Amino acid sequence: MSVTIQDQVLDRNNLNQAYLRVKRNKGAAGVDDMTVNDLLPYLRENKTKLITNLREGNYKPAPVKRVEISKPNGGVRKLGIPTVVDRMVQQAVAQALMPIFECVFSDNSFGFRPHRGVQDAIAKVVKLYNQGYRRVVDLDLKAYFDNVNHDLMIKYLQQYIDDPWTLRLVRKFLTSGVLDHGLFARSDKGTPQGGPLSPLLANVYLNELDKELTRRGHQFVRYADDCNIYVKSQRAGERVMRSITQFLEKRLKVKVNPDKTKVGSPLRLKFLGFSLGVDRNGAYARPAKQSQQRVKQALRLLTKRNRGVSLTKMFEEIHQKMRGWLQYYSIGKLTNFIHRLDQWLRARIRQYIWKQWKKFKTKVVHLQKSGLSYHDAFVFASTRRGYWRTAHSKTLNYSLTNRELEHLGLIKICPRRSSQFKSD
């Protein structure tokens, strides 16, 4: 007797793994206000009823909770937060379906897939540039997750799974609706970001794009809805952009943003926060200018001189921010930027400490502790320079040396020591 997808979804071990994954991922409560900590007590009381409702097709997902988060480049991204029970069921379905679709997904797809990630995608981009693909069609899909066609989604799922129970359950999740500030809205299209099943469904849908690009013989790299197609000339790029836009809008019913979709050089355009540079050894990845500016702005906010937090707390926040940033960009060439950023950050810290000392007497005492004579400390403490100019002075650099800042808890943000920023 063959095991159906329904059997795999409702398997006790699969449901236990789904629960543990939801618990580990934490996340906000849905429309019923149940938290991940409330999930286990709920399952102890309602497990049998839940499984029976699922098995008999009576399970009805709750509407997702609308949450909006700001994008780095402006605008908002709409998330749909399912209830924790719905998240567990979605996770159970995703775990059963993932092995099926991993066998059919393209090698050029890197987003939301096991053992693949941003760094693999960027490594492929570098390889393609070195093979002579010097132009890229940078596709921008307009609100992709909000515009997925439900009927087409089920059609694409049916190509690989023949299980009516699973297909009905997936459609229920797609059409469960949205609760936005207490108002219910039907969901006639889209797959809300925020649930465990959404990334898999997004890849299933855009796998049709991957298949079409492969059929045409194109070189491409796709990470979720970010897709770059690599060609060898501007003319070829413009031709591909027109034909693929037509395919996406007519066949897949998704909109291409004409203002953001462009053909250009990978040295100038950014992809997943990276752009390319070239030296005598060929192409290399580096953080895009916008990525550099964003991390510097984040550090600027953390080191505002009027924040009024302890140095210990500030250094912890800097450590946390830079650990994630360095891990993400570790494949890129970072040395020059990080060296400049490190010098600038230390000046920000010196400025903050100088502001903390406040009183004239306090400044004199600290400067004397750093090795200055009383006379020199008195003269320097009397300075009328602004905080930022003072932070760059030889005297303050002598008093608050790099070693002293590291003694206080600031870790040097240097690529060769980026392992310090890795998770324990």
Side-chain angles (χ1 to χ4, degrees):
M1 184 177 176
S2 61
V3 178
T4 65
I5 297 176
Q6 177 185 355
D7 294 330
Q8 294 176 47
V9 171
L10 299 181
D11 177 76
R12 180 178 178 180
N13 289 333
N14 186 57
L15 289 171
N16 285 341
Q17 288 176 19
Y19 162 76
L20 292 172
R21 176 62 69 88
V22 170
K23 176 77 173 175
R24 186 165 61 247
N25 289 346
K26 300 179 181 179
V31 295
D32 62 356
D33 293 326
M34 185 187 296
T35 68
V36 290
N37 293 326
D38 300 325
L39 183 54
L40 185 57
Y42 173 87
L43 292 174
R44 283 174 177 158
E45 288 189 20
N46 299 279
K47 178 179 68 175
T48 303
K49 182 180 178 182
L50 174 63
I51 293 176
T52 300
N53 284 338
L54 282 166
R55 192 181 302 278
E56 295 178 355
N58 297 324
Y59 181 79
K60 186 178 180 182
V64 297
K65 183 180 182 180
R66 172 67 76 221
V67 176
E68 295 182 348
I69 59 172
S70 300
K71 292 182 179 181
N73 56 351
V76 295
R77 176 177 286 110
K78 295 180 180 179
L79 298 184
I81 309 299
T83 66
V84 289
V85 176
D86 286 341
R87 292 213 291 273
M88 191 192 81
V89 177
Q90 284 193 32
Q91 181 64 40
V93 174
Q95 288 169 181
L97 295 183
M98 183 67 77
I100 298 171
F101 286 100
E102 274 300 303
C103 296
V104 299
F105 284 158
S106 169
D107 285 341
N108 298 316
S109 167
F110 295 90
F112 307 125
R113 295 182 61 188
H115 314 300
R116 285 170 167 256
V118 169
Q119 294 180 352
D120 303 301
I122 297 303
K124 180 70 182 287
V125 169
V126 171
K127 183 179 178 181
L128 287 172
Y129 188 91
N130 287 332
Q131 289 175 350
Y133 294 91
R134 304 297 167 82
R135 282 291 179 271
V136 58
V137 181
D138 184 12
L139 288 174
D140 186 276
L141 303 184
K142 194 171 184 179
Y144 165 68
F145 286 88
D146 296 331
N147 288 298
V148 167
N149 184 286
H150 291 170
D151 291 333
L152 287 177
M153 173 67 79
I154 298 301
K155 175 186 173 182
Y156 299 147
L157 287 168
Q158 280 179 313
Q159 292 178 133
Y160 305 102
I161 61 174
D162 182 19
D163 189 288
W165 178 89
T166 304
L167 295 172
R168 283 195 299 270
L169 183 56
V170 170
R171 189 180 279 277
K172 283 183 178 180
F173 280 119
L174 290 172
T175 59
S176 61
V178 176
L179 203 64
D180 189 359
H181 296 95
L183 298 175
F184 175 79
R186 290 170 54 85
S187 45
D188 299 320
K189 60 181 179 177
T191 171
Q193 292 175 271
L197 192 55
S198 183
L200 175 62
L201 295 181
N203 273 333
V204 169
Y205 202 87
L206 286 179
N207 188 52
E208 299 303 307
L209 170 63
D210 298 346
K211 285 157 58 176
E212 180 66 15
L213 291 171
T214 302
R215 187 185 69 79
R216 298 185 186 189
H218 291 313
Q219 298 289 345
F220 67 97
V221 177
R222 184 175 66 79
Y223 192 96
D225 59 329
D226 288 321
C227 184
N228 277 4
I229 307 167
Y230 293 86
V231 294
K232 293 190 175 181
S233 71
Q234 183 74 16
R235 187 174 178 181
E238 289 171 358
R239 184 179 67 249
V240 169
M241 182 174 68
R242 287 192 298 270
S243 61
I244 290 300
T245 296
Q246 189 176 39
F247 171 82
L248 285 165
E249 295 187 341
K250 290 193 173 181
R251 289 275 299 278
L252 299 191
K253 310 296 183 188
V254 293
K255 296 179 180 179
V256 175
N257 191 333
D259 297 326
K260 295 184 178 180
T261 296
K262 56 181 76 73
V263 181
S265 168
L267 304 181
R268 293 181 175 274
L269 300 181
K270 71 181 179 73
F271 181 55
L272 304 175
F274 288 85
S275 59
L276 298 187
V278 178
D279 59 20
R280 62 184 180 181
N281 298 316
Y284 59 86
R286 60 184 178 187
K289 283 278 173 51
Q290 298 95 320
S291 305
Q292 296 179 19
Q293 291 166 358
R294 279 202 294 268
V295 74
K296 191 171 182 179
Q297 178 61 20
L299 292 175
R300 180 178 281 111
L301 293 175
L302 292 179
T303 56
K304 284 177 64 175
R305 64 174 185 258
N306 60 352
R307 277 194 73 200
V309 300
S310 68
L311 282 176
T312 301
K313 180 173 175 56
M314 181 185 290
F315 291 161
E316 285 176 357
E317 292 171 341
I318 293 170
H319 179 271
Q320 183 179 15
K321 177 66 184 178
M322 291 310 301
R323 178 177 59 194
W325 196 89
L326 286 170
Q327 283 178 341
Y328 186 89
Y329 289 101
S330 60
I331 193 176
K333 198 169 185 179
L334 298 170
T335 306
N336 291 338
F337 170 67
I338 290 297
H339 179 69
R340 295 194 305 271
L341 186 69
D342 190 61
Q343 288 184 317
W344 172 84
L345 179 61
R346 288 168 187 274
R348 296 281 297 182
I349 299 298
R350 291 186 179 100
Q351 174 186 239
Y352 188 84
I353 293 173
W354 183 249
K355 175 76 161 50
Q356 274 195 326
W357 286 350
K358 291 183 180 178
K359 295 181 180 179
F360 176 81
K361 183 178 179 181
T362 306
K363 292 175 181 177
V364 172
V365 169
H366 281 289
L367 290 169
Q368 281 187 284
K369 285 182 180 179
S370 301
L372 268 67
S373 67
Y374 176 79
H375 175 267
D376 289 343
F378 186 93
V379 171
F380 188 75
S382 305
T383 182
R384 291 181 173 275
R385 289 178 178 178
Y387 291 109
W388 188 236
R389 283 190 65 194
T390 303
H392 287 84
S393 66
K394 290 182 179 179
T395 302
L396 206 58
N397 274 266
Y398 170 78
S399 303
L400 293 171
T401 62
N402 289 348
R403 180 174 294 181
E404 176 64 19
L405 293 180
E406 289 178 23
H407 177 72
L408 292 172
L410 180 66
I411 295 177
K412 189 174 183 180
I413 51 172
C414 173
R416 66 178 179 271
R417 294 179 62 185
S418 62
S419 59
Q420 293 191 42
F421 291 93
K422 291 182 180 178
S423 301
D424 297 331

